[in-house]
């Protein structure tokens, strides 16, 4: 029961044909909902923190929340920086106790991405921290991550061996058609992922852990609850769960999920407020919101990631 790196988790996931869930955290209820699910499912777990989450909740609070969850649940947890934008934010998280960081140089020209990633790897490895890099660009919008569809590009399999060898990264995020946020495909459009690219990357990097960002399935039951209670999310569409399952059976060892948790939490609070218009005790609506997060995460672990019982 401690903070761990993802090294062992990924080794077992690769061999076992499943993926570890990396869930974004911002506050106590989200941390509790996720960790209760991991305990219930006896699943390996990565909790990840974006720059926006660090700004919102502050580094020290997030550290203490994760430490409290470890103490409370007895889980081993990998604490990861999501979408580190530069060397300084990576260094700050490494020095501040994270066990894993992502340096997201995916918007840079190849050689600049290599140089920046190598700089972070050298520092991180010196402190026993692992590093995720990214090649290729996902579309989509979230707080501090905003890429227009026209600026996105699939990962070029011909570049991955060179990138991994020269940077020394421990895992690699790739772009095969997933995207950030709740609007991943247009209504009427057939969701599609480039499994041919994933397969080729798996062939070129045998045994090496691949990461999938933008992997929420945007669960329609929650979209409907939002839309039935004053929300307006028509056309919110995610990655079909069977596609994520297929990726998890291939080289993908880490699957990032944030939007599905936001959606479950927001839908549950909207419904509670609509049903209890006189409510003003936050505990009364945050408790069912936390339960919804637990149930979504348990569902993902059991039916999508395949990591239940693997802790
Ligand atoms: O990929 C980005 C994560 O979902 C975090 O989003 O920057 O809005 O916290 P955020
Ligand atoms: P979603 O927006 O699909 O949940 O993706 C989250 C993510 O990739 C975090 O890095
Ligand atoms: Zn992401």
């Amino acid at each position: 029961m401690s903070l761990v790196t993802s090294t062992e988790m990924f080794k077992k996931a690769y061999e076992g044909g499943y993926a570890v869930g990396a869930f974004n955290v911002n506050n106590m209820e989200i941390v509790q909902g996720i960790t209760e699910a991991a305990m219930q499912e006896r699943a390996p777990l990565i909790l990840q923190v974006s720059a926006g989450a660090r700004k919102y909740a502050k580094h020290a609070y997030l550290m203490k929340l994760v430490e409290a969850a470890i103490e409370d649940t007895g889980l081993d947890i990998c604490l990861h920086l999501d979408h580190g934008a530069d060397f300084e934010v990576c260094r700050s998280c490494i020095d501040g106790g994270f066990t894993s960081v992502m340096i997201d140089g995916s918007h840079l020209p190849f050689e600049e991405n290599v140089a920046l990633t190598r700089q972070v790897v050298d520092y991180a490895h010196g402190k026993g921290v692992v590093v995720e890099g990214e090649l290729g660009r996902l579309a989509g919008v979230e707080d501090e991550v905003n890429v227009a569809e026209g600026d996105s590009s699939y990962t070029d399999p011909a570049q991955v061996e060179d990138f991994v060898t020269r940077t020394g990264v421990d895992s690699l995020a790739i772009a095969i058609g997933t995207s950030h946020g709740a609007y991943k495909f247009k209504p009427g459009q057939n969701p599609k992922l480039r499994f041919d690219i994933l397969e080729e990357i798996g062939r070129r990097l045998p045994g090496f852990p691949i990461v999938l960002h933008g992997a929420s399935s945007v669960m329609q039951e929650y979209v409907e609850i939002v839309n039935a209670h004053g929300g307006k999310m028509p056309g919110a569409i995610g990655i079909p769960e069977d596609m994520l399952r297929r990726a998890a059976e291939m080289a993908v060892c880490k699957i990032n999920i944030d939007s599905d948790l936001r959606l479950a939490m927001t839908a549950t609070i909207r419904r509670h407020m609509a049903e209890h218009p006189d409510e003003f005790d936050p505990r009364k609506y945050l408790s069912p919101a936390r339960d919804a997060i637990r149930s979504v995460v348990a569902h993902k672990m059991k039916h999508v990631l395949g990591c239940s019982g693997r802790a």
Side-chain angles (χ1 to χ4, degrees):
M1 42 176 304
S2 56
L3 276 177
V4 296
T5 70
S6 49
T7 307
E8 275 308 300
M9 291 182 190
F10 287 167
K11 197 165 170 284
K12 285 166 73 182
Y14 198 97
E15 285 162 6
Y18 62 90
V20 181
F23 301 96
N24 287 72
V25 298
N26 294 287
N27 66 21
M28 182 187 77
E29 285 77 12
I30 297 174
V31 170
Q32 288 178 337
I34 297 167
T35 50
E36 282 167 14
M39 188 171 56
Q40 175 190 315
E41 293 300 316
R42 293 182 298 108
L45 180 62
I46 298 170
L47 293 179
Q48 56 187 14
V49 169
S50 68
R54 257 175 118 230
K55 209 186 291 169
Y56 170 76
K58 294 191 185 171
H59 184 96
Y61 284 85
L62 290 166
M63 274 317 290
K64 298 291 178 197
L65 282 173
V66 174
E67 282 165 11
I70 289 171
E71 189 183 319
D72 185 44
T73 61
L75 291 169
D76 282 334
I77 295 176
C78 171
L79 179 56
H80 175 76
L81 167 66
D82 193 24
H83 292 284
D86 53 37
F87 177 77
E88 277 318 312
V89 67
C90 291
R91 174 158 59 190
S92 161
C93 287
I94 293 164
D95 292 348
F98 282 37
T99 50
S100 175
V101 294
M102 175 190 193
I103 175 70
D104 184 353
S106 59
H107 56 290
L108 297 171
F110 183 80
E111 289 299 330
E112 288 175 40
N113 189 359
V114 168
L116 175 62
T117 306
R118 178 81 243 177
Q119 186 192 10
V120 172
V121 167
D122 285 343
Y123 188 76
H125 285 183
K127 308 255 174 178
V129 169
V130 291
V131 180
E132 173 185 324
E134 178 162 341
L135 258 186
R137 265 195 112 184
L138 273 68
V141 180
E142 256 156 5
D143 241 16
E144 313 239 335
V145 184
N146 187 340
V147 182
E149 205 179 320
D151 293 334
S152 64
S153 58
Y154 294 120
T155 305
D156 178 0
Q159 292 184 324
V160 297
E161 292 144 290
D162 194 28
F163 185 82
V164 165
T165 313
R166 286 171 60 200
T167 58
V169 282
D170 304 277
S171 61
L172 180 69
I174 60 166
I176 58 167
T178 62
S179 60
H180 291 110
Y183 302 88
K184 301 186 192 297
F185 299 99
K186 298 197 171 49
Q189 189 184 6
N190 248 353
K192 191 170 168 282
L193 294 187
R194 291 288 305 271
F195 284 103
D196 57 322
I197 295 180
L198 174 56
E199 210 172 312
E200 178 60 21
I201 290 171
R203 236 192 320 270
R204 286 171 182 261
L205 297 172
F208 191 82
I210 299 300
V211 178
L212 216 52
H213 281 247
S216 280
S217 41
V218 187
M219 298 166 82
Q220 290 303 301
E221 62 198 270
Y222 291 110
V223 174
E224 279 163 27
I225 295 173
V226 167
N227 289 337
H229 295 94
K232 282 201 176 70
M233 297 184 70
I237 300 173
I239 313 295
E241 290 187 342
D242 59 328
M243 291 189 188
L244 296 168
R245 183 78 208 96
R246 184 171 163 202
E249 283 164 4
M250 298 169 72
V252 170
C253 294
K254 173 174 179 271
I255 289 190
N256 287 9
I257 298 173
D258 186 2
S259 295
D260 272 328
L261 306 188
R262 298 176 177 199
L263 184 60
M265 191 164 204
T266 301
T268 306
I269 293 171
R270 272 190 184 278
R271 181 170 55 193
H272 184 94
M273 290 308 202
E275 289 170 355
H276 305 85
D278 59 341
E279 189 65 79
F280 71 103
D281 179 348
R283 293 170 300 184
K284 293 285 183 357
Y285 53 85
L286 290 176
S287 305
R290 179 174 55 192
D291 291 346
I293 288 197
R294 187 183 57 224
S295 131
V296 166
V297 172
H299 166 81
K300 301 281 181 191
M301 288 169 161
K302 201 185 292 189
H303 300 292
V304 182
L305 306 159
C307 63
S308 290
R310 307 286 195 151

